[in-house]
């Protein structure tokens, strides 16, 4: 499947207490994604904690991912940074290490204007010289891409996709139709915000950029394929099994929940980067129950195949 299509799984970036990349844990995450059959890996996205890592840590994570993955699953690397020259350097690092594509969010302290974001993206796309996806994530960047800016950027060489937040009023079909009228036919439109993925996929989006698939790629892929095939009933059944997890994501933030899941699955005992604090111990039972619900539903889907 082409890059920026299907299920893109976004793993955590595990580090030890001294801040070194835990390459063995990262390899376990990536192998799990590959074995499940996800369409791509989204390294150093928001779930990967890119904003908390230095350039050297990020470079090491990409190198380790390429060594582990060996080209088995396409690798998309987040290169967002406050300064344009830093983002350009990260894009070059990713390409040199062997990444297949880039993901760029307009990080800022001073709120950015549209032309500033446009010029930032043009500069990074040129420096990275790889297919690049616009990361429209106003929940963390506080910048919302207008339709006009997405259309303008879609005409730039190497900018080939957009990763959108949940659609207003859940109108995925309307938003997709509007954006597709304004962008080239080869430009792909995908969504993050896991609890809206089923609706977005059924509406015909190209990609689910998934937090949960970073550790739970198998059930996420089952949901993706059901929706891509247009099976609304099976999609609803599978999404219902995800609902306890979606509720925890909404309550605590998916970033925090994923660290607990990594521990419960026995894949890594790692903590989120400070100042983000680990979830209280009393949340573990709720997260464990959500995983059990999901596992039962995924087994049922496999038996029905």
């Amino acid at each position: 499947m082409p890059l920026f299509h299907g299920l893109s799984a976004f793993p955590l970036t595990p580090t030890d207490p001294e801040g070194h990349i835990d390459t063995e844990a990262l390899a376990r995450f990536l192998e799990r994604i590959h074995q499940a059959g996800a369409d791509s890996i989204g390294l150093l996205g928001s779930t990967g904690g890119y904003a908390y890592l230095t350039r050297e840590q990020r470079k090491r994570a990409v190198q380790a991912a390429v060594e582990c993955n060996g080209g088995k699953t396409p690798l998309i690397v987040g290169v967002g940074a406050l300064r344009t020259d830093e983002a350009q350097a990260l894009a070059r690092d990713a390409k040199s290490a062997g990444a297949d594509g880039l993901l760029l969010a307009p990080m800022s302290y001073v709120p950015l204007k549209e032309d500033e974001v446009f010029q930032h993206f043009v500069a990074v796309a040129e420096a990275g010289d790889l297919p690049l996806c616009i990361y429209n994530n106003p929940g963390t960047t506080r910048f919302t891409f207008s339709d006009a800016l997405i259309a303008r950027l879609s005409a730039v060489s190497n900018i080939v996709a957009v990763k959108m937040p949940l659609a207003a009023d859940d109108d995925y079909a309307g938003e997709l139709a509007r954006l597709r009228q304004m962008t080239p036919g080869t430009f792909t439109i995908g969504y993050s915000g896991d609890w809206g993925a089923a609706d977005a996929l059924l509406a015909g989006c190209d990609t689910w950029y998934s937090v949960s698939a970073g550790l739970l790629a198998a059930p996420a892929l089952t949901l993706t394929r059901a929706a891509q095939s247009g099976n609304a009933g099976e999609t609803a059944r599978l999404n219902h099994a995800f609902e306890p997890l979606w509720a925890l994501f909404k309550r605590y933030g998916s970033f925090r929940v994923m660290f607990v899941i990594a521990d419960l699955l026995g894949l890594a005992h790692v903590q989120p980067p400070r100042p983000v604090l680990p979830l209280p111990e009393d949340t573990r039972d709720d997260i464990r129950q959500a995983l059990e619900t999901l596992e039962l539903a995924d087994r049922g889907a496999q038996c029905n195949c």
Side-chain angles (χ1 to χ4, degrees), residues 238-255:
L238 292 165
N239 190 63
H240 181 72
F242 270 104
E243 287 293 348
L245 184 61
W246 300 160
L248 291 165
F249 278 8
K250 294 174 186 177
R251 181 175 181 183
Y252 298 114
S254 59
F255 186 59

Side-chain angles (χ1 to χ4, degrees), residues 44 54-64 90 93 97:
L44 298 173
T54 66
R55 178 183 175 187
E56 288 305 312
Q57 288 172 315
R58 292 165 74 167
K59 185 186 296 187
R60 180 63 186 127
V62 181
Q63 291 169 341
L90 290 164
D93 290 344

Side-chain angles (χ1 to χ4, degrees), residues 122-296:
V122 170
V124 177
E126 182 178 352
D129 196 25
L130 285 174
L132 184 146
C133 179
I134 301 163
Y135 191 179
N136 184 5
N137 187 12
T140 59
T141 66
R142 303 297 185 264
F143 180 88
T144 301
F145 285 80
S146 66
D147 291 354
L149 181 56
I150 292 170
R152 187 182 176 196
L153 284 167
S154 73
V156 174
S157 179
N158 296 328
I159 299 180
V160 300
V162 64
K163 179 178 186 284
M164 296 290 289
L166 300 176
D169 301 319
D170 296 328
D171 183 18
Y172 296 98
E175 184 167 81
L176 286 164
R178 190 173 68 248
L179 288 172
R180 283 180 172 147
Q181 286 182 339
M182 305 172 70
T183 56
T186 54
F187 187 82
T188 66
I189 303 166
Y191 286 86
S192 54
D194 279 18
W195 49 90
D199 289 338
L201 288 164
L202 285 171
C205 78
D206 298 297
T207 323
W208 175 16
Y209 297 99
S210 173
V211 173
S212 55
L215 291 172
L216 305 168
L221 187 66
T222 304
L223 173 60
T224 301
R225 296 295 187 250
Q228 287 177 319
S229 70
N231 189 336
E234 180 66 357
T235 301
R237 186 187 75 82
L238 292 165
N239 190 63
H240 181 72
F242 270 104
E243 287 293 348
L245 184 61
W246 300 160
L248 291 165
F249 278 8
K250 294 174 186 177
R251 181 175 181 183
Y252 298 114
S254 59
F255 186 59
R256 296 178 179 88
V257 172
M258 291 296 283
F259 281 92
V260 179
I261 293 175
D263 191 24
L264 290 174
L265 295 176
L267 296 171
H269 181 67
V270 289
Q271 302 292 339
R274 297 290 303 272
V276 181
L277 295 174
L279 290 177
E281 280 294 314
D282 61 9
T283 63
R284 293 173 67 88
D285 285 343
D286 289 340
I287 296 172
R288 185 181 289 107
Q289 289 174 14
L291 295 180
E292 290 171 357
T293 299
L294 194 54
E295 183 180 4
L296 289 172

Side-chain angles (χ1 to χ4, degrees), residues 9-197:
F10 281 68
L12 300 168
T13 307
T15 58
D16 65 21
E18 287 72 44
H20 303 116
I21 302 298
D22 185 340
T23 57
E24 292 183 1
L26 181 59
R28 288 193 290 272
F29 296 167
L30 300 185
E31 184 59 24
R32 188 177 176 92
I33 293 168
H34 169 68
Q35 289 296 329
D39 299 300
S40 65
I41 294 165
L43 191 73
L44 298 173
S46 294
T47 307
Y50 74 94
Y52 300 99
L53 301 173
T54 66
R55 178 183 175 187
E56 288 305 312
Q57 288 172 315
R58 292 165 74 167
K59 185 186 296 187
R60 180 63 186 127
V62 181
Q63 291 169 341
V66 171
E67 290 168 7
C68 165
N69 184 49
K72 295 180 291 188
T73 303
L75 183 67
I76 301 164
V77 175
V79 295
L82 284 171
R83 290 170 55 99
T84 298
D85 55 356
E86 291 176 351
Q88 288 175 306
L90 290 164
R92 294 187 190 101
D93 290 344
K95 182 179 182 181
S96 296
D100 299 291
L102 305 175
L103 177 68
L104 179 62
M107 294 177 67
S108 68
Y109 180 80
V110 174
L112 298 174
K113 300 182 183 299
E114 286 209 350
D115 196 54
E116 292 170 332
V117 170
F118 178 79
Q119 292 189 35
H120 177 66
F121 271 71
V122 170
V124 177
E126 182 178 352
D129 196 25
L130 285 174
L132 184 146
C133 179
I134 301 163
Y135 191 179
N136 184 5
N137 187 12
T140 59
T141 66
R142 303 297 185 264
F143 180 88
T144 301
F145 285 80
S146 66
D147 291 354
L149 181 56
I150 292 170
R152 187 182 176 196
L153 284 167
S154 73
V156 174
S157 179
N158 296 328
I159 299 180
V160 300
V162 64
K163 179 178 186 284
M164 296 290 289
L166 300 176
D169 301 319
D170 296 328
D171 183 18
Y172 296 98
E175 184 167 81
L176 286 164
R178 190 173 68 248
L179 288 172
R180 283 180 172 147
Q181 286 182 339
M182 305 172 70
T183 56
T186 54
F187 187 82
T188 66
I189 303 166
Y191 286 86
S192 54
D194 279 18
W195 49 90

